Amino acid sequence: DPGGQKPVRERAVVAAADLISAHGLAAATLERVADGAQCSVHSLYAAFGGRDGLLHAVYERYSPILDVEAVLAAPREDLQETIRTLYRLLTEALVREPRVVPAMFADALARPDDPAVQGVFRHAFSRMVEGVGTWFTGEIAAGRIRDLPPLLLVQQMLGPLASHFLMRPAAAHLSVTDLPSHEEAVELFADNFLRAVGTRPPAS
Amino acid sequence: DPGGQKPVRERAVVAAADLISAHGLAAATLERVADGAQCSVHSLYAAFGGRDGLLHAVYERYSPILDVEAVLAAPREDLQETIRTLYRLLTEALVREPRVVPAMFADALARPDDPAVQGVFRHAFSRMVEGVGTWFTGEIAAGRIRDLPPLLLVQQMLGPLASHFLMRPAAAHLSVTDLPSHEEAVELFADNFLRAVGTRPPAS
């Protein structure tokens, strides 16, 4: 690469993430990403095979999927500590800039019938649901989690923490309450999750 | 009103809801709402006092806030049945057309720094959090719910159900799992909520 620039692949993922964070998935066209990354559309095809490949690379970088999959592939440890670790990874993905994960949720809510949104979200969503769901199936078999449908266990796990951190910017303006620290929220929701679906009460 | 049309107020609320559902809050300008409602911008000022008043009217109509407040104001009944009733109201608001509540969440996620989004969301969000939070404070005092911060109780209550119904259109494409009926999801998440934060195990 000329002038000491980072490789096209790296620049394109960052440019696409910035566009998605600011304007949503629809804004991340190959033309606009090429503009932002100071490269040609042709080089994006060469690096990613097309727009879908680029969007998957953005998702892998800015969602917690790779870290989550590493935690789930490790030997099974204390269940409460594993849930807390997953919650910390999710928290980081929800609060960091650029806001790729919140923007993806926003797109899925606002334009559920848009084929591009469906494609990315289905890929991202099904990979997370299947990874975590399969891990839950093992926890159920080991007798640590009640035998509930894996999809609903995933939503039970992600829902409270996600709604807390996604709505935290708005909640910061409320007078009713002091916001807990990130770690306090992680511990409280992890404790609640195990009370809700665990077979044994969590150690508090 | 000429020609048997519904009153301006009614037509404007419906037109604004359709715009928000299709294109988000930013699309619901007084000019476009007047267009959709076949009335003048002047008559919108007369009916609502301005854009904020119109948006609050849309929120009152399409969010479950009025029904939720009626439930919370009634004499306290069986806790599990009350949670199920609140969940049924929320489910209805999340799945019905026009998709005003999902669009509001999408706007809050995508544009948290936009003043118009902040204004509406803060109004809507704080009214719901304060209403349900105050009710939780009574349940805590009565010894039925553990003494946790009201804001986090609200998120623990709404998160799993909201993530289930907001993501249901995308989840319908997954091969991993059969989706439960609406009522099965309501009962399972209500049961989980009471296991998580109740002082007594729910009757199953």
Side-chain angles (χ1 to χ4, degrees):
Chain A
D1 275 311
Q5 280 192 316
K6 289 180 179 168
V8 164
R9 199 177 163 84
E10 167 72 16
R11 279 151 38 212
V13 165
V14 172
D18 287 341
L19 283 167
I20 291 169
S21 177
H23 307 293
L25 214 46
T29 61
L30 289 181
E31 289 71 22
R32 292 182 70 175
V33 172
D35 252 20
Q38 296 185 277
C39 67
S40 66
V41 169
H42 177 79
S43 67
L44 294 180
Y45 274 105
F48 300 100
R51 186 167 182 252
D52 278 358
L54 168 60
L55 294 177
H56 291 172
V58 172
Y59 170 68
E60 283 211 340
R61 172 78 63 85
Y62 291 96
S63 90
I65 188 72
L66 294 179
D67 291 332
V68 165
E69 286 175 349
V71 169
L72 299 182
R76 288 175 194 266
E77 306 268 1
D78 177 68
L79 177 58
Q80 186 168 22
E81 202 43 49
T82 305
I83 298 294
R84 286 181 180 175
T85 301
L86 294 174
Y87 272 8
R88 286 184 199 110
L89 292 173
L90 182 65
T91 297
E92 204 190 309
L94 291 172
V95 302
R96 77 174 152 216
E97 299 283 345
R99 300 179 77 252
V100 171
V101 172
M104 282 179 159
F105 277 104
D107 275 321
L109 293 179
R111 279 171 288 283
D113 301 325
D114 178 316
V117 170
Q118 277 187 357
V120 173
F121 192 73
R122 199 147 69 222
H123 172 85
F125 184 69
S126 63
R127 184 166 162 189
M128 183 67 91
V129 167
E130 285 175 23
V132 180
T134 300
W135 183 77
F136 277 140
T137 303
E139 291 297 306
I140 292 168
R144 286 186 287 266
I145 286 187
R146 293 193 292 122
D147 187 9
L148 301 173
L151 176 66
L152 276 67
L153 283 170
V154 173
Q155 292 162 340
Q156 181 71 45
M157 184 172 93
L158 301 182
L161 194 81
S163 68
H164 179 77
F165 282 105
L166 292 174
M167 298 303 151
R168 205 171 159 105
H173 299 280
L174 291 179
S175 58
V176 283
T177 185
D178 291 328
L179 287 174
S181 71
H182 287 191
E183 182 60 22
E184 284 166 351
V186 160
E187 288 182 14
L188 184 140
F189 287 125
D191 182 75
N192 282 355
F193 176 70
L194 288 174
R195 288 173 186 262
V197 308
T199 53
R200 285 181 286 273
S204 291
Chain B
D1 275 310
Q5 280 191 315
K6 288 179 181 170
V8 163
R9 200 177 163 83
E10 167 73 17
R11 277 152 38 212
V13 165
V14 171
D18 287 342
L19 283 167
I20 292 169
S21 176
H23 307 293
L25 214 47
T29 60
L30 289 182
E31 290 69 22
R32 291 181 71 174
V33 172
D35 252 20
Q38 296 186 278
C39 67
S40 66
V41 169
H42 177 80
S43 67
L44 293 179
Y45 274 105
F48 299 100
R51 186 165 180 253
D52 279 358
L54 168 61
L55 294 177
H56 291 172
V58 171
Y59 170 68
E60 285 212 337
R61 170 79 62 84
Y62 291 97
S63 89
I65 188 72
L66 294 179
D67 290 333
V68 165
E69 287 176 348
V71 169
L72 299 181
R76 288 175 193 266
E77 306 267 2
D78 176 69
L79 178 57
Q80 186 168 23
E81 202 42 50
T82 305
I83 298 296
R84 286 181 180 176
T85 301
L86 294 175
Y87 272 9
R88 286 184 198 110
L89 292 174
L90 182 66
T91 297
E92 205 189 307
L94 291 171
V95 302
R96 77 174 153 216
E97 299 285 346
R99 300 179 76 253
V100 171
V101 172
M104 283 181 160
F105 277 104
D107 275 321
L109 293 178
R111 279 171 288 283
D113 301 325
D114 178 317
V117 169
Q118 278 188 357
V120 172
F121 192 72
R122 200 146 69 222
H123 172 85
F125 184 69
S126 63
R127 184 167 162 187
M128 182 68 91
V129 167
E130 286 176 21
V132 179
T134 301
W135 182 79
F136 277 139
T137 304
E139 291 297 306
I140 291 167
R144 285 186 287 265
I145 286 187
R146 293 192 293 122
D147 188 7
L148 301 173
L151 176 66
L152 276 67
L153 283 170
V154 173
Q155 291 162 342
Q156 181 70 45
M157 183 171 95
L158 300 183
L161 193 81
S163 68
H164 179 78
F165 282 105
L166 293 174
M167 299 303 151
R168 207 173 156 105
H173 298 280
L174 292 179
S175 58
V176 281
T177 183
D178 292 328
L179 286 174
S181 71
H182 287 192
E183 182 59 21
E184 283 166 351
V186 160
E187 288 181 15
L188 184 140
F189 287 124
D191 182 76
N192 282 356
F193 176 72
L194 288 174
R195 287 173 186 264
V197 307
T199 53
R200 284 182 287 272
S204 292

